Amino acid sequence: MRYYRGEKLKFLIVLLFFGTSAWAQTGTDKEIDKIIAQMTIDEKVAMCHAQSKFTSAGVPRLGIPEVWMSDGPHGVRAEINWDNWGYAGWTNDSITAFPALTCLAATFDEKASYDYGVAVGEEARYRKKDILLGPGVNIYRTPLNGRNFEYMGEDPHLASKMVVPYIKGVQTNGVAACVKHFVANNQELWRGHINVELSERALREIYLPAFKAAVLEGDTWSMMSAYNQVRGQYCSHNEYLVNTILKGEWGFDGVYLTDWGAAHDTKQSALYGLDIEMGTGTNGLTYSEKNHYENYYLAGAFKELVKSGEVSEEVLDDKVRRILKLIYRTSLSKNRPLGSVNTDAHHEVARRVGQQGIVLLQNEDHFFPIVDKKGLKIAVIGENATRMMTIGGGSSELKVEYEISPLQGIQERYPNAEVIHAMGYASGPSQYGRVIPSKLDADVLKAEAIEVAKTADVVLFFGGLNKSHHQDCEDGDRLTYDLPFGQSNLIQAISEVNENIGVVLISGNAVATPWTNQVKGLMQGWYLGSETGHALADVISGDVNPSGKLPITFPKKLEDNGAHQLGTMSYPGDSINVEYKDDILVGYRWHDTKKITPKYAFGYGLSYTDFEISEVVADKKVYASTDDITITCDLRNNGKLTGAEVVQVYIGKHKSKVERALKELKAFQKVQLEAGEKTSLSLKVSVKDLQYYNESKSDWELEKGDYYIYVGNASDNISKRLKITISDNVN
Ligand code: GLC
């Protein structure tokens, strides 16, 4: 190509400009190394630990800003004091509470997850936070775990697919997601020290995949350790988990920080991958001045190790490099958006995720939807019809601009009906770490509820759990699978005076439901945040057709759950160790393989319309190991209402040489169809996703031979099973 002289000069000038600007571009490795070279050891070490409850130090001398962090996964927590756990009492930090992540998982909708991440990230950006301490993706192993409501269910594939868009959404705002709690934090009892013993297969096939997807597909800029130990080392500084897997195999280039108070050793923190130590001296929830910042493991003691040469300065520089990279990705990012808070758009996302995540579990006699009409008398019973649920639960609690209660949602949506409320039962005030019983007379409350129910045309019972201690709350597990506060007896008693009952469970966990023969309707309502009452009324009234699917299994009784069938060492352990004896058979994998019928299965959820899956076909009969499996099927909406269905693809090895679950979720797709509409779907599964982790080879292995493909709309409702073969001759 010929340039005229003038053109060539112009081209050189342009090249010089872009070249230098690219070189001077902020956050490149070269730029970061230049900064590190100017820093003192004191300045570097100061960046590796907290300087307050929720910040770590910058470099004032060089204009490198501090790192500001905030909980949590469902919204931006109210401002906490600089140096203790008290709330700062600001008047400008009320925000939008989005639905709990179990509800988000129940949408089976990756786009919903992205929209959620963008919205909560905009609120974090507006509140000037650099790291949002969420999402959580610990696997739902037992219905007693106090924090399951913050996580994305029992299946590693679903959690992997739903966590990635959330991270990307948050990070479009120049705010770092912080995926937590790495790893195997599947109970709150003894969380601060319990040692988890589990097989490599369980670790690789069940507990790591969502974290791996968060790094390799989500590109999360930070990750938070779990409190517990795994195989004898704390997760905050675990050589195998952090150095070998997270930063080694996965190439994680972000910042690994502790949960608050989860560091326990200086040399291990230094050498086993910890980058920022937070919250030492606290249990992550309550106040403590012990171990003040200079006493942190990665403070004075770490500095001495570096100065003495016992730990190379490169170890310190690697931590600082990661932290500076995060700072350039966030507060020093040149094109960082402005963020926003409490907008109609955010309220719409919160309401839509709630609408899409609510799961219709039972609907006898078409109890739902309930149509508003003059003269209709609706009894709204239960403390959860009015109790605020955006508070409580632990570090994920929020200070909202508003919260629409279920009762308020019903009152607004049914202007022609007469809506009467009775509390029915009382649980007492919410308080970390202890239960304060209600002073109200339970018998009086029950009698009042029965009186209200007697004269009603329809009873809506809002019960469940309530994010207080032992009730879906951090730092404690549930003590029973049953509904607390006499709710089951109350439901039975109401059914004796009125058979027209619909129950809505506000909870983050499965619960015992012994009264389902005495009620007509049942919905899993989750914790839905600011728009709770609107989202529930949208579905109860039929304005929105329910499309949520369970991301968890409801066992008929607790002992049917895999973690609870194998003795107390399997759950909760002996306070020192807990052994994951259920191994790779978690949730529906256990129920399917052990042939234990659940009350409600993973992937289950009814609609107000009827869908039909047909013409299920795989594109081949025999596959090579490098192929994609393409499954096509038709989906028809045979009902009279628009609705959405989730087509699910499970795959299981036929006659495997090792123990494997009967089937495992490998693909899903949510589709909305008008009444009578039909469409064709195509779902892809990489043959590599059929591998199991071969412990003797310390690597993934693809078994050759026959597999079954199960296609349906629930793990226990399969429309078609196909057999395919992975050929022997191709690796
Ligand atoms: C808590 C939680 C963690 C939270 C952190 C800060 O103990 O375990 O999820 O982000 O401490 O509040």
Side-chain angles (χ1 to χ4, degrees), residues 656-676:
S656 171
K657 64 187 181 189
V658 296
E659 176 172 48
R660 297 180 76 164
L662 175 71
K663 61 179 184 292
E664 300 174 332
L665 182 70
K666 295 297 179 187
F668 59 86
Q669 191 173 337
K670 185 165 200 172
V671 180
Q672 172 149 314
L673 295 177
E674 303 294 322

Side-chain angles (χ1 to χ4, degrees), residues 54 71 77 85 133 147 150 180-181 191 224 227 259-260 283-285 395 474:
F54 282 89
D71 290 311
R77 192 175 184 184
W85 282 102
L133 301 171
R147 288 186 86 175
E150 289 188 51
K180 65 187 188 180
H181 306 87
R191 69 170 181 170
M224 184 191 296
Y227 276 114
D259 199 337
W260 268 236
N283 64 7
L285 283 173
S395 58
E474 187 172 333

Side-chain angles (χ1 to χ4, degrees), residues 450-498:
I450 290 168
E451 278 312 302
V452 164
K454 268 180 189 165
T455 60
D457 299 307
V458 169
V459 176
L460 287 176
F461 184 92
F462 291 92
L465 306 173
N466 63 17
K467 294 174 71 178
S468 52
H469 193 47
H470 296 319
Q471 303 289 337
D472 283 345
C473 185
E474 187 172 333
D475 206 22
D477 283 346
R478 292 166 66 198
L479 303 177
T480 169
Y481 184 53
D482 297 331
L483 280 176
F485 316 118
Q487 291 177 68
S488 288
N489 292 337
L490 176 56
I491 292 168
Q492 305 270 13
I494 291 169
S495 70
E496 285 156 20
V497 300
N498 192 323

Side-chain angles (χ1 to χ4, degrees), residues 43-181:
E43 289 167 336
K44 294 180 192 175
V45 168
M47 294 189 90
C48 299
H49 61 82
Q51 65 172 2
S52 76
K53 273 289 168 279
F54 282 89
T55 70
S56 58
V59 189
R61 181 175 63 85
L62 299 175
I64 302 294
E66 298 158 335
V67 178
W68 283 76
M69 312 170 193
S70 172
D71 290 311
H74 309 145
V76 186
R77 192 175 184 184
E79 200 65 22
I80 284 183
N81 290 327
W82 181 258
D83 201 15
N84 68 55
W85 282 102
Y87 281 109
W90 288 10
T91 54
N92 65 342
D93 55 355
S94 299
I95 45 77
T96 305
F98 298 89
L101 295 192
T102 21
C103 176
L104 177 60
T107 68
F108 278 69
D109 183 329
E110 293 163 76
K111 169 81 172 54
S113 183
Y114 180 76
D115 294 346
Y116 187 125
V118 169
V120 73
E122 285 175 339
E123 302 224 346
R125 171 70 189 98
Y126 185 81
R127 293 271 301 103
K128 298 184 175 57
K129 305 302 177 182
D130 304 314
I131 302 180
L132 181 67
L133 301 171
V137 288
N138 292 104
I139 289 295
Y140 183 111
R141 175 174 179 257
T142 161
L144 302 190
N145 176 20
R147 288 186 86 175
N148 278 328
F149 71 97
E150 289 188 51
Y151 304 146
M152 296 186 175
E154 70 186 36
D155 180 78
H157 179 79
L158 176 63
S160 300
K161 286 297 174 190
M162 297 301 285
V163 72
V164 168
Y166 178 111
I167 295 164
K168 290 191 174 300
V170 168
Q171 297 184 164
T172 56
N173 293 286
V175 173
C178 184
V179 179
K180 65 187 188 180
H181 306 87

Side-chain angles (χ1 to χ4, degrees), residues 28 42 78 86 100 136 218 273 384 392 426 448 458 507 564 573 636 651 694 699 730:
T28 60
D42 284 32
N384 281 2
E448 284 170 353
V458 169
S507 70
H564 294 266
R636 177 194 287 275
I651 298 184
N694 183 329
D699 199 358
V730 179

